Amino acid sequence: MNTLQFLGTCAADFSPLLKTERKDVFDTELRRASCAIIDGHNLIDCGPHAIDALRVAGVALRDIDNLFCTHLHSDHFNRDNVAAVAGAAERRAPLHVWVREDAAFPDIPGVVLHRMKLFTTYAVTDTLSVTGLSAIHDQKATPQWLLLEEQGKKLLYALDGAWFMNDTYYYLENKKVDTAVLDCTVGDYIGDYRLAEHNSIPMLKMMIPSMRTFGILDERSRVYASHMAQTLHDDYEKTVAAAGDFFTVAYDGLTVTI
């Protein structure tokens, strides 16, 4: 793993302008439904804006080898868009899709489905592996956080979930991930009812130091906040100021080194 590009960084309250005049650009203020791509070949989630976002990023659908699904809520999974990726012209091989073992995944032509038991590590390629971790989120949507590892590099992708499940927290002890992407649906205030499913900026400021104390992060680790509800956050500059030195605020189109 070398690069992670954020193709969408919003929760489910994305702007309708993304269907019209903002369809062809990335923007720090108008966020698409959360998804990301690793090294231009491995997609994380494929929601309603994924096809447009891949086009804006210059990624050909035929070049996507794997799709890792965090869960099946409609802002993260869109059947037609997954079918478009799987059925792309000039595709060299089937699309491999990785989901939690009990996910109600529909039949889609061109997909090779991999059902994952939580806390079991699977070989995706000769060098890349993935592990699904339990998450505090709507269990009907069969959520999983993702730990991806390749040649010593570790990426924790933990969107749509609040705090840590006990088993996930202890599984990650001393893992010292290189890059962590954490849910930050809620803005810089306390008292929001979503604390049982989503993080806020104050919650992240509590969690991240504990993650360092527990060895999930170390001094080299980079932390990014994503899945940010537009109606619950200030504008980008104010959100960056609120994040301070705790984490980096991701935005659509941001490309980072893992």
Side-chain angles (χ1 to χ4, degrees):
M1 293 187 295
N2 293 306
T3 62
L4 173 72
Q5 185 173 21
F6 293 89
L7 300 175
T9 55
C10 195
D13 62 342
F14 31 81
S15 171
L17 293 177
L18 292 169
K19 295 181 178 180
T20 55
E21 60 259 41
R22 305 305 293 172
K23 186 177 181 179
D24 299 326
V25 296
F26 288 130
D27 193 287
T28 58
E29 300 299 343
L30 292 183
R31 300 173 179 274
R32 290 169 172 80
S34 292
C35 61
I37 192 163
I38 301 167
D39 294 339
H41 295 286
N42 300 305
L43 189 64
I44 303 177
D45 285 341
C46 187
H49 304 128
I51 301 301
D52 278 339
L54 288 164
R55 176 178 53 80
V56 175
V59 178
L61 300 186
R62 65 175 180 272
D63 291 335
I64 298 174
D65 300 321
N66 294 282
L67 167 61
F68 302 101
C69 293
T70 62
H71 63 301
L72 298 184
H73 277 159
S74 60
D75 56 323
H76 292 259
F77 173 80
N78 179 283
R79 186 196 184 283
D80 291 343
N81 283 349
V82 174
V85 175
E90 301 180 13
R91 173 173 284 283
R92 299 181 301 277
L95 175 68
H96 292 262
V97 177
W98 303 79
V99 299
R100 208 174 87 172
E101 62 176 338
D102 50 345
F105 196 88
D107 182 42
I108 300 176
V111 163
V112 175
L113 191 63
H114 302 267
R115 294 188 174 275
M116 301 165 56
K117 294 183 178 181
L118 295 179
F119 303 105
T120 300
T121 299
Y122 296 86
V124 179
T125 68
D126 290 342
T127 58
L128 177 64
S129 67
V130 62
T131 307
L133 310 175
S134 59
I136 300 176
H137 196 53
D138 176 12
Q139 292 302 306
K140 296 188 294 296
T142 56
Q144 61 177 353
W145 288 352
L146 302 168
L147 179 66
L148 293 128
E149 302 182 63
E150 186 171 39
Q151 297 178 331
K153 293 184 178 181
K154 302 182 183 73
L155 167 66
L156 172 63
Y157 195 86
L159 298 188
D160 258 4
W163 306 108
F164 275 88
M165 294 285 279
N166 179 273
D167 48 7
T168 292
Y169 194 65
Y170 281 93
Y171 181 87
L172 291 171
E173 181 180 9
N174 293 322
K175 284 289 193 292
K176 296 180 174 60
V177 302
D178 299 276
T179 302
V181 180
L182 303 182
D183 181 276
C184 191
T185 300
V186 182
D188 189 24
Y189 61 96
I190 59 175
D192 192 275
Y193 72 90
R194 298 169 183 83
L195 92 162
E197 281 197 290
H198 295 293
N199 297 322
S200 65
I201 289 177
M203 290 165 70
L204 288 186
K205 288 182 175 180
M206 294 177 64
M207 291 167 56
I208 291 169
S210 296
M211 293 170 70
R212 296 189 187 280
T213 299
F214 207 54
I216 299 173
L217 307 172
D218 65 12
E219 66 280 356
R220 302 173 299 104
S221 303
R222 295 168 296 279
V223 181
Y224 299 90
S226 186
H227 201 273
M228 307 179 76
Q230 296 187 138
T231 54
L232 302 178
H233 282 271
D234 284 324
D235 63 31
Y236 177 73
E237 289 187 4
K238 290 179 181 177
T239 302
V240 169
D245 295 330
F246 285 87
F247 58 86
T248 299
V249 179
Y251 55 87
D252 294 14
L254 174 66
T255 301
V256 301
T257 301
I258 299 173

